[in-house]
Amino acid sequence: MIIAAALVLITGPLKSEGGSAGSSSAATTSAAGTDSASRPAAATPSAPKLATGDYRGSVPILMYHVIKAPVASTPMAELWTPAETFQATVELLKKDGYSGVTLDQVWQAWHGGAGLPKKPLVISFDDGYLSHSVTAKPILEAAGWPGVLNLEGKNIGKGGLTTNQVEGLITAGWEIDSHTLTHPDLTTLDDASMRTELVDSRKLLQDKFKVPVNFFCYPAGANDARVRAAVAAAGYKGATTVEPGIASKSDDPYLLPRIRVNGTDSAATVAGRVRSGQGVSGGY
C-alpha cells in the first residue's frame, strides 16, 4: 500500500487567489466578477506545435498550484508561486534545453508513438485556479509550451475557471486531466462514492470539453491498491502522485511521480530538482 505523505488533505474553505474565502484543496480563485467576463476579449493564439524527437526515456513532471504571490496570512502560502518566479523558472528551463510536453505525448512515446524532444518536461497544475488561465497560460505560450491541468469538477464555474477559460487552455495546447469532482481522500470512500468521483469527473470533462481525459491525479496524493484498481477500471491510462522522482516507462503507470514546487523555490532550485528528481514528498 502506498499512501502519499501529504501534509494535509484540504476539504474546507481557504483564502482565495483574490484574498476572500473559497472552497478548494489549496486556495480558490478570486470571487465572481474577476474572470474573463470582466475583461476585454483577447486574440486567440494558435496552439504550440507539439515538440517531437527520438527520445523515449524518463520525463520529469512538475507540480504547481496557484501562480500568484500570496498575501499576508494566506493559508498554505507555499502553494502560491509568484508569477515572476514561475516565469523565471520557465525561461531558465527553456535556456537549459528543456521542451514542454503533455502526459499524452509522454505516454505515446513510451508506447510506440511519436518520440519526444531530447529534454522533455511536463508542467502540471492542480485543482483549477484563475491564475492558471490569466498567468500561467501566457507565460507558457511565450515559451511555446503546453501545460497539463488536473481539474476538479467543482472548480468549473463560479469561484474557479470558467468554461471559456478552460477552453482557452485547450486551444493553447493544454491537456485536461481529472482531479475528481470534490477533492476527497479517495482511500476513505466506499466503492460507490469512489466510482462517482472517478467516473463522473472524467465524463464531465469529456462531455463538456471534448477531450480524452486519459490521466488522473490523486487528491493530496492519497491512494492505495483499491484506489489504483478503481482508477484503472474507470478507464484512465495512468495517474500522478505527489511522491518525488522522474517518471519512467518502468514505473507503475498509476504511481507516476511528480516534483512538487513550493512558492519559495527559486528558478535554480526547481531546475536542480528537474535534473535530480529530488524534492519534497507530499501535497494538497
Side-chain angles (χ1 to χ4, degrees), residues 25-248:
S25 62
T28 57
T29 58
S30 56
T34 58
D35 62 14
S36 60
S38 63
R39 291 187 295 274
T44 301
S46 58
K49 182 179 179 180
L50 295 180
T52 59
D54 299 322
Y55 183 79
R56 301 181 186 278
S58 301
V59 180
I61 305 172
L62 292 177
M63 172 177 60
Y64 282 96
H65 288 81
V66 183
I67 308 300
K68 184 177 181 180
V71 298
S73 75
T74 296
M76 297 164 197
E78 65 270 24
L79 298 184
W80 297 58
T81 297
E84 296 80 5
T85 304
F86 180 69
Q87 181 170 359
T89 301
V90 171
E91 291 174 350
L92 177 58
L93 291 169
K94 188 174 178 69
K95 180 180 178 181
D96 286 348
Y98 287 94
S99 298
V101 298
T102 65
L103 271 178
D104 271 319
Q105 284 181 265
V106 173
W107 184 267
Q108 291 298 323
W110 287 349
H111 295 86
L116 299 169
K118 186 177 179 180
K119 296 174 72 173
L121 171 71
V122 174
I123 301 184
S124 68
F125 303 83
D126 287 4
D127 305 324
Y129 301 117
L130 182 64
S131 60
H132 297 160
S133 174
V134 301
T135 306
K137 175 175 168 278
I139 290 172
L140 290 182
E141 281 179 330
W145 292 0
V148 171
L149 175 60
N150 299 312
L151 182 58
E152 291 177 47
K154 70 179 177 64
N155 280 353
I156 302 171
K158 183 178 179 180
L161 287 167
T162 67
T163 296
N164 285 344
Q165 287 169 333
V166 177
E167 290 173 342
L169 294 173
I170 295 168
T171 298
W174 286 44
E175 175 181 314
I176 308 299
D177 292 322
S178 173
H179 200 37
T180 72
L181 293 170
T182 64
H183 204 275
D185 180 342
L186 293 173
T187 66
T188 68
L189 301 185
D190 58 43
D191 290 347
S193 298
M194 179 159 49
R195 177 176 172 79
T196 295
E197 292 286 347
L198 298 175
V199 175
D200 290 6
S201 62
R202 186 176 189 228
K203 188 174 188 304
L204 170 66
L205 299 177
Q206 289 174 327
D207 291 348
K208 195 172 189 67
F209 300 112
K210 311 304 178 187
V211 290
V213 193
N214 288 325
F215 295 91
F216 181 76
C217 177
Y218 303 108
N223 74 89
D224 56 22
R226 183 177 70 98
V227 171
R228 295 194 295 276
V231 171
Y236 298 99
K237 293 179 179 179
T240 53
T241 70
V242 297
E243 297 304 315
I246 297 178
S248 71

